[in-house]
């Protein structure tokens, strides 16, 4: 089955700096890669996603890149703000069905 | 409804007790998923429905876990003879074809 590894497990940045979270996956059948943000005690929320026919996608301060050959994808947050502090999960799935999640990255943005 | 609704929000069960967790997905969402999330970890897949058909139940930890979605809408996850290792947050998610998940708020199950 699919295996998703996520790094780093914790990340601390100064407000205004950029943050990068990286994930690798193992199953070449995976073609849909969503990212979720989970604030403490709340539900995970979809923030951005990318499909395997696209190499990069951007939405305001958030961007995701995908290298299908190397089987890795990354989340980039620019101009970080304290409200970006949360746990971020990457996931991989075939045809947006069952998703396999990474173990999460706890991002702390210091004011 | 506007979002995915789960109930109860919290459940405390004595070891050996049976529990039933309910999920009401977004209207029109064909796909429904159950995940188990332990503290400090990512969600772990349990089972997946497309309409009323359970297409994948490979993540259910044991035969004490059972899920159903008889009319293709509301789903129930049942855990029989609960054990301490079942303590976790159980997340339900629904999705429209080809799109990411909308999660419910989860049910936090504590087995004492």
């Amino acid at each position: 089955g699919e295996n998703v590894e996520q790094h780093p497990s914790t990340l601390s940045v100064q407000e205004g700096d950029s943050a990068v979270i990286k994930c690798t996956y193992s199953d070449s059948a995976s073609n849909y890669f969503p990212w979720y943000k989970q604030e403490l005690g709340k539900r995970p929320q979809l923030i951005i996603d990318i499909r395997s026919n696209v190499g990069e996608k951007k939405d305001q301060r958030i961007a995701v890149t995908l290298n299908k050959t190397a089987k890795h994808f990354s989340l980039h947050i620019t101009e970080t703000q304290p409200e970006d502090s949360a746990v971020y999960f990457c996931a991989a799935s075939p045809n947006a069905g069952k998703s396999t999640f990474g173990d999460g990255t706890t991002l702390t943005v210091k004011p | 409804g506007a979002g995915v609704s789960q109930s109860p929000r919290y459940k405390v069960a004595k070891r050996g007790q049976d529990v039933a967790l309910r999920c009401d997905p977004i209207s029109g969402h064909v796909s429904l998923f159950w995940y188990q999330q332990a503290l400090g970890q990512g969600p772990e897949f349990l089972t997946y429905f497309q309409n009323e058909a359970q297409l994948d139940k490979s993540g259910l930890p044991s035969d004490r876990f059972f899920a159903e979605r008889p009319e293709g809408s509301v789903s129930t996850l049942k855990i029989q003879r609960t054990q301490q290792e079942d303590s976790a947050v159980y997340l339900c998610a629904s999705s429209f074809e080809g799109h990411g998940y909308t999660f419910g708020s989860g049910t936090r199950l504590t087995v004492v």
Side-chain angles (χ1 to χ4, degrees):
Chain A
E2 177 64 274
N3 181 49
V4 175
E5 295 193 355
Q6 183 171 347
H7 300 281
S9 57
T10 61
L11 179 60
S12 181
V13 300
Q14 208 65 37
E15 182 177 359
D17 287 351
S18 295
V20 180
I21 302 170
K22 299 183 179 182
C23 290
T24 61
Y25 64 100
S26 61
D27 189 350
S28 56
S30 289
N31 57 11
Y32 177 69
F33 307 92
W35 286 86
Y36 294 86
K37 175 183 180 182
Q38 187 173 29
E39 296 178 13
L40 192 62
K42 297 193 175 178
R43 72 189 78 188
Q45 291 196 300
L46 179 70
I47 55 172
I48 195 167
D49 56 14
I50 192 167
R51 299 180 191 276
S52 59
N53 58 344
V54 174
E56 184 174 355
K57 183 176 178 181
K58 191 172 181 181
D59 182 4
Q60 300 184 334
R61 296 185 299 107
I62 294 174
V64 58
T65 59
L66 171 66
N67 183 327
K68 197 177 172 185
T69 303
K71 294 195 183 72
H72 64 72
F73 56 113
S74 301
L75 177 72
H76 304 252
I77 307 174
T78 58
E79 300 170 27
T80 53
Q81 301 167 4
E83 51 265 37
D84 294 330
S85 296
V87 180
Y88 291 80
F89 293 100
C90 63
S93 76
N95 302 316
K98 163 190 171 182
S99 281
T100 301
F101 286 77
D103 284 336
T105 296
T106 301
L107 173 64
T108 303
V109 180
K110 299 180 202 173
Chain B
V4 178
S5 178
Q6 289 189 249
S7 62
R9 189 80 171 85
Y10 303 93
K11 177 69 179 177
V12 178
K14 290 186 178 178
R15 193 159 54 100
Q17 189 178 357
D18 296 350
V19 298
L21 313 181
R22 176 189 166 103
C23 174
D24 196 345
I26 292 173
S27 178
H29 278 194
V30 167
S31 300
L32 184 147
F33 304 83
W34 284 98
Y35 280 80
Q36 181 189 62
Q37 187 174 28
L39 192 64
Q41 295 186 15
E44 294 279 345
F45 173 79
L46 294 176
T47 187
Y48 158 47
F49 291 86
Q50 193 164 69
N51 295 307
E52 69 278 5
Q54 190 174 21
L55 298 187
D56 187 342
K57 55 180 181 179
S58 61
L60 296 176
S62 74
D63 58 8
R64 297 186 296 103
F65 286 71
F66 172 77
E68 60 183 3
R69 193 186 185 196
E71 297 177 359
S73 178
V74 171
S75 177
T76 304
L77 175 67
K78 297 179 180 178
I79 309 173
Q80 296 178 319
R81 303 182 304 281
T82 52
Q83 300 177 5
Q84 282 195 317
E85 59 261 33
D86 299 335
S87 296
V89 174
Y90 290 84
L91 292 167
C92 175
S94 69
S95 73
F96 191 66
E97 283 188 27
H99 291 77
Y101 296 168
T102 299
F103 280 96
S105 295
T107 294
R108 181 177 297 278
L109 173 65
T110 304
V111 182
V112 298

